[in-house]
Structure formats: C-alpha cells, structure tokens
Amino acid sequence: MVFESKIRTIQWVDNVSRMVDQTKVPYEYVMVDIKTGDEMYDAIKTMIVRGAPAIGVSAAHGVVLYAQELMNKGLSREEFISQLTQKAEYLKTSRPTAVNLMWGVDRQLEILHNSTSDIKGMVEELKQNGIKMENDDIAINKSIGEYGADVVPKGATILTHCNAGALATVGYGTALGVVRSAYARDNSIQVFSDETRPRQQGSRITTFELKMDGIPVTMITDGMCSYFMKKGMIDMVVVGADRIAANGDTANKIGTYTVAIAAKYHNIPFYIAAPLSTIDTSIKSGEEIPIEERSHDEVTTINGKLVCAEGVNVINPGFDVTPHELITGIITEVGILKPDYNESIKNAFANERKPLLI
C-alpha cells in the first residue's frame, strides 16, 4: 500500500511554475504563478518555495522561465546559450546552502549545452526536462519512504525537525515520506514535530501537512526533545538534509545538530532521509558547506512585533552541520547508506540505477 499525499507543491502549468506559497502556510494554502526567472530567484530567496528537493525543481523551472524570456529577443543561437547560461548561474546565488539548487540548474545547463536544436527546440527540451524532474522527484521520494519504513518499529513515535515533507519536495516528502510509508503499513505510527525556530517550519508546515493527511502529530518546542527522549517517548529521529558531504556530514535546518547529540546520548537511532541529488561528493566534509546567514528580523520579531530588547545583537545561521558519527543511516532512493559513508556514498552513485542492499 502506498500513501498518497494531498499536497502538490510545485508544477509546470501553462508555461509558468505554479507553487504553494509557503510563507502563508498554515494561515492560507494558496498557489502562486511564477512567470519570470527573476520572480523565481525571489521565490527561492524569500522562501516562497523551500526544502532542498523543491528548490532543485524550482531552479530547473527558473531556467525555463529565463529561456522563454530570451527566446523572442532576436538573439543568435550562440547569444541565447551565452545569456541563458549567465542567468542560470545567477539563479544559483539565491540561496547558498542547499546543493539541490545548483543540481537543478546544472541539469538544465547540461541539456542546453548538449542540444543540437534551434532556440525554440532548446526551450522545449528544457521545459520537458523540468517536468521530468518533477515526476522523478515524487518517484524518488516514494522509494525513500519505502526503504525508510523498513527500519521504523511498530507503533513508533518519530521525531522530526523542520519540514522535510511534501511541501519541501514536489509532493511526497523525504523524512515525512518515511513517515507516510510507515503509516501506510502501521497506522499506530505517530510524529513529534519540533517547532523549529526561528521560522517555525515544524509548527507552521510539518503539523499542517500531517494534519491534512490525517497522520497523528504532536508539536514540541526545540528545547524539549531531550526531555521526551529521556522519558522513552521518542523511538527514532528522521530529518531531511540540504547538503550532505562525501563523508556523510549533513547540513540541515539549524537545531538539527542539537537533536542528533541528544539522540546519541539516549541511544535513539538518528536517520537522514534525502535523495542522492542532495549529496555533494565534491566536498570532503561538512567544514566545506557554506552556511547561510539570514535576517536578524527572523529572530527578533514574531508577526511583525519585537520580542527582545531593541538593538540587541543577533546571529542567525539558517543551518548547522551534523557530524557523520551521529548519523545511524542515510535513507536514499537506492537504499539505506551506513558507515563508512565515504564508501557507501561512493557505492550508491556507482549503483544509482539499481537498489542497494546496505
């Protein structure tokens, strides 16, 4: 039995990229049409779309939007390729940490530079590749979910941090894909969701989509996880990822590292759920992952109101890096990778088109 989520986060429709505006969830569930490449840059930057896999597909759509804009400017084929490449590289700068952003753009640039078509034909090839990436994302996430469900104990309570669900992907989820697949097998499964300060993706988004899908969820604040672990109320942790280094070090939403330390102390399995596209084998460890520094207003204000002393100093990194030693396994579309991660990651890419028994 496969669980079907009601949520479709992003879809190419009538030559625009239609997506859920995640800045409005849970107060509103509205779709917005992103019509230009610069609008896509802003949508990624301002987190209208968020979550590594969703950003990857959005980036692919953004390249198509830029291509459509350039198509009717009377450019030569060489000028078109050159200008589109420049705009695609600019799109990569919208957010620095999530490697899927670069992956989505590079997948499109590969199509562009290998094409033998005229300009109109290249635009169509880019569009079809973007649509394929949408469909592939859902299939990949369902595969992640099935592999992950195999390690979920019967009746488990799963803690997750931030949102790695349908709204962080095209429509099923990585960490919450594991939850959905496990729940399809055993409806006594339940979730504890960290609120995930400062943008509350756990309270705003994870609880919203699990309630929408009818999966039991309890929200806790970020500082409560060790309390519930000690009381024996959490059986495992499953989170998503924004970038995974070749040695398994994993960047995810700020606060993930703290959860991993608490899980290790309490002998609770801590899993990462992510597609292979989130693994960046060009970097050896988490020390090389750039960490996005976000606006101080995210910390100092809630609903536009100041919640601290005016002028107080603030540091607001968007992500932290969990060392590979704290990670029980990395759940991917080809199997569950285990330590030594350098070796299992290398094997995963070598066997990308067939399941791994790891």
Side-chain angles (χ1 to χ4, degrees), residues 104 116 141 153 161 192 195 231 240 261 270 283 289 338-339 345:
T116 58
N141 291 337
H161 186 79
F192 270 34
E195 65 172 349
K231 290 177 73 69
I261 292 170
F270 179 95
I283 58 174
I289 298 175
K338 295 290 184 69
I345 286 172

Side-chain angles (χ1 to χ4, degrees), residues 218-230:
T218 299
M219 188 185 79
I220 63 174
T221 68
D222 291 10
M224 292 179 181
C225 70
S226 55
Y227 172 84
F228 289 108
M229 288 176 180
K230 185 176 181 179

Side-chain angles (χ1 to χ4, degrees), residues 249-280:
D249 291 351
T250 298
N252 193 50
K253 185 56 57 182
I254 191 73
T256 303
Y257 182 22
T258 303
V259 175
I261 292 170
K264 185 74 170 181
Y265 181 83
H266 291 93
N267 296 311
I268 293 170
F270 179 95
Y271 286 95
I272 302 295
L276 292 182
S277 58
T278 302
I279 301 175
D280 185 356

